[in-house]
């Protein structure tokens, strides 16, 4: 999607664009064959998430995986219609349902990421407060505007340190943010250009490849 979007404005690239779109369609059709396996994997992930010790991740991951199961079911139904096995299926209705379940799954996954980030930031802030307390230095006086600026800088620095300390959490957040652009666009919640959606998909794919190549970079369930 990203390459075809970048090539479309250029003259003389019509044949290349058509080939890329055909390749994209072929790859998409090939992915459909793996949907049934994905449904089984999502069901297993749902069962595993029920054993999470922390309540918030347990609820978020369980609901996210359940929505992912429903998404794969809807996507499989759409594939059945696309190959002509059931022409009476309402394509637009099932596509909307699939987008809703996929979007819900990603939002719940992002909620889990935000919760993990908040815990990490809280821990780092607590450690920093203990160090400052041991130094027992009085902070210099400053204006209200300076305090607001300092608060924002401290927050961003704390966020950066939290994500740097847990790379798997950073990758999982980036992946979910990249994936969610497409369902948001399909549902009309947040419109994006094909190039932006393709870029989000590319970033998500890179994050996914990293977690596959380096299993220790995959966000673990507590």
């Amino acid at each position: 999607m990203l390459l075809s979007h970048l090539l479309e404005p250029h003259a003389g690239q019509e044949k290349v664009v058509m080939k890329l779109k055909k390749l994209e369609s072929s790859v998409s059709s090939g992915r459909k064959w793996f949907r049934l396996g994905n449904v089984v994997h999502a069901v297993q992930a749902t069962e595993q998430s029920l054993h999470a010790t922390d309540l918030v991740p347990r609820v978020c991951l369980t609901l996210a995986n359940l929505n992912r199961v429903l998404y794969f079911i809807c996507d499989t139904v759409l594939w059945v219609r696309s190959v002509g096995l059931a022409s009476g299926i309402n394509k637009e209705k099932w596509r909307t349902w699939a987008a809703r379940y996929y979007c819900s799954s990603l939002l719940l996954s992002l909620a889990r990421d935000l919760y993990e980030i908040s815990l990490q930031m809280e821990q780092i802030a607590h450690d920093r407060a203990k160090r400052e307390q041991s130094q027992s230095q009085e902070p210099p006086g400053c204006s209200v505007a300076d305090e607001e600026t300092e608060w924002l800088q401290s927050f961003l620095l704390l966020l950066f340190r939290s994500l740097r300390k847990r790379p798997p959490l950073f990758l999982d957040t980036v992946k979910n943010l990249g994936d969610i652009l497409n369902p948001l666009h399909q549902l009309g919640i947040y419109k994006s250009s094909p190039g932006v959606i393709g870029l989000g998909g590319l970033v998500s794919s890179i994050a996914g490849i990293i977690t596959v190549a380096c299993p220790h970079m995959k966000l673990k369930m507590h």
Side-chain angles (χ1 to χ4, degrees), residues 95-136:
R95 180 178 292 176
T96 301
W97 285 353
R100 286 176 180 172
Y101 291 131
Y102 189 38
C103 186
S104 298
S105 175
L106 292 171
L107 287 174
L108 287 163
S109 297
L110 282 171
R112 182 264 185 121
D113 291 335
L114 292 176
Y115 175 75
E116 296 282 356
I117 290 173
S118 67
L119 290 181
Q120 192 69 34
M121 292 176 67
E122 183 179 353
Q123 181 62 44
I124 293 177
H126 178 71
D127 295 341
R128 186 177 65 178
K130 288 179 64 177
R131 289 195 302 268
E132 292 177 351
Q133 186 177 5
S134 63
Q135 295 174 358
S136 65

